[in-house]
Amino acid sequence: MMRSSTLARSESKPLALACALAATLASGCQEDGKTSQKHAAELCAKLAPVVAEDVGQVRTGLPAGAAKLAALVDTDPGANLLGLQRAIAGARASVKELEFAKSTFFSFTDPSGTVLRSEADPDMLANRSVLASFPELRKVLESNSGVVEAFGEMQEMRGVRNGPDLQWVAAHPVKASGGELKGLFVTGWSFRAYAYRLQEAAKHDITEIAKRDGLKSTPLLYVFAWKGAKAYGGPVTPDVNTEALEKLDLPAKTASGPWSGTVEIAGRTFGAAAQRTPELAADAGVAALVSTL
């Protein structure tokens, strides 16, 4: 009987140690999750004002850029495309807000909305109609129009080759001194290209946060730009991360203000956070996934 009792006690020791180890690991994971959640929320709080500033640069600079472009383009802009490209670059460089704007394209269209030339090479937008892809931009053709904005999808404006993407586009009329319409000055960005820009900016912040908090290594970081139910990460963001973020229903989560929590993705605990950026759109915002390694 004593041997049986001793055996039972000896067998229970490994089980107790295993349970204790599991509890310790679970506690550690919870603590890492809380830390990652805090860092994700901190990053979103830093990124939201960046979006507001970037949007403001385009809205403020585009009217001035259109006025500069009107003085630089020829009577027949399409007759000298190289000269038109230089005019676009010159108009943008002469307006501080546009010089530093985070747009992924600057283009000039004819009065029908067909792109004649873009600043960048190769010019993927040449001979494509922005009004066909973004019907809401037609308001820019109305008298006394200012900056008109629209969201939509255009293959030539994509920030990645494959996968979902979305574009924000702003247009302003370019008029001759007599008031006749010469064309449109168009700019904007791909959400996925813009998310990559935000992520690159956030890398500095997360590195500083890691140093400040005495972390052994820099946490894993993914940044997203979102609108409505869809989220858009940088070109190398795993699809499973985007899908997990979309399942959280960010519009609902942020209805009353910034949100943060944790989410399990492929066996890893991420801190998640999201914050709206109403300067871009009422249903748009930024989000971050952070995982302490």
Side-chain angles (χ1 to χ4, degrees):
M1 188 70 177
M2 289 181 61
R3 287 182 61 190
S4 176
S5 176
T6 302
L7 181 60
R9 285 197 300 270
S10 65
E11 290 177 345
S12 68
K13 288 182 180 180
L15 179 60
L17 289 172
C19 290
L21 179 59
T24 300
L25 290 174
S27 176
C29 289
Q30 290 176 356
E31 187 60 34
D32 286 345
K34 291 179 180 178
T35 301
S36 297
Q37 177 182 343
K38 181 185 71 172
H39 292 160
E42 185 174 348
L43 287 174
C44 280
K46 290 177 178 289
L47 291 174
V50 172
V51 177
E53 180 180 0
D54 290 346
V55 172
Q57 285 178 336
V58 172
R59 289 178 180 154
T60 301
L62 200 55
K68 295 283 187 181
L69 192 54
L72 294 173
V73 296
D74 297 330
T75 304
D76 182 8
N80 181 2
L81 295 182
L82 183 58
L84 179 56
Q85 182 185 31
R86 287 195 294 262
I88 295 170
R92 186 174 72 83
S94 65
V95 178
K96 181 180 67 175
E97 290 83 2
L98 296 186
E99 183 181 11
F100 295 103
K102 307 311 181 294
S103 299
T104 51
F105 62 91
F106 284 91
S107 304
F108 177 82
T109 82
D110 66 15
S112 74
T114 299
V115 175
L116 295 179
R117 194 63 169 90
S118 301
E119 180 183 5
D121 284 315
D123 189 358
M124 304 298 294
L125 291 174
N127 301 316
R128 300 291 190 271
S129 172
V130 294
L131 299 188
S133 296
F134 304 89
E136 291 182 8
L137 289 182
R138 292 186 178 279
K139 295 177 183 177
V140 78
L141 301 177
E142 299 174 1
S143 60
N144 300 320
S145 168
V147 176
V148 176
E149 303 169 34
F151 294 92
E153 297 180 54
M154 187 172 183
Q155 180 67 25
E156 293 76 16
M157 291 182 183
R158 295 174 60 83
V160 294
R161 291 185 179 181
N162 301 308
D165 201 353
L166 183 72
Q167 292 87 43
W168 172 65
V169 182
H172 193 283
V174 177
K175 295 185 177 181
S177 57
E180 63 271 21
L181 184 65
K182 284 188 171 185
L184 306 175
F185 195 15
V186 184
T187 188
W189 57 61
S190 145
F191 264 53
R192 294 195 66 175
Y194 187 64
Y196 176 75
R197 170 264 193 277
L198 292 176
Q199 183 167 302
E200 288 300 297
K203 283 182 178 179
H204 171 75
D205 292 325
I206 197 65
T207 299
E208 292 302 310
I209 288 172
K211 291 179 181 178
R212 182 198 67 194
D213 292 356
L215 301 181
K216 294 180 180 179
S217 59
T218 302
L220 184 61
L221 167 69
Y222 295 98
V223 173
F224 302 79
W226 57 272
K227 187 176 188 302
K230 301 297 292 182
Y232 304 90
V236 297
T237 300
D239 290 342
V240 65
N241 290 16
T242 304
E243 293 166 2
L245 200 62
E246 290 176 345
K247 288 178 181 179
L248 295 174
D249 192 357
L250 299 183
K253 285 280 194 291
T254 59
S256 58
W259 168 86
S260 66
T262 59
V263 59
E264 288 287 330
I265 303 176
R268 179 190 289 271
T269 299
F270 282 88
Q275 186 166 330
R276 294 198 183 198
T277 54
E279 295 82 5
L280 179 58
D283 62 343
V286 292
L289 291 175
V290 176
S291 179
T292 303
L293 301 178

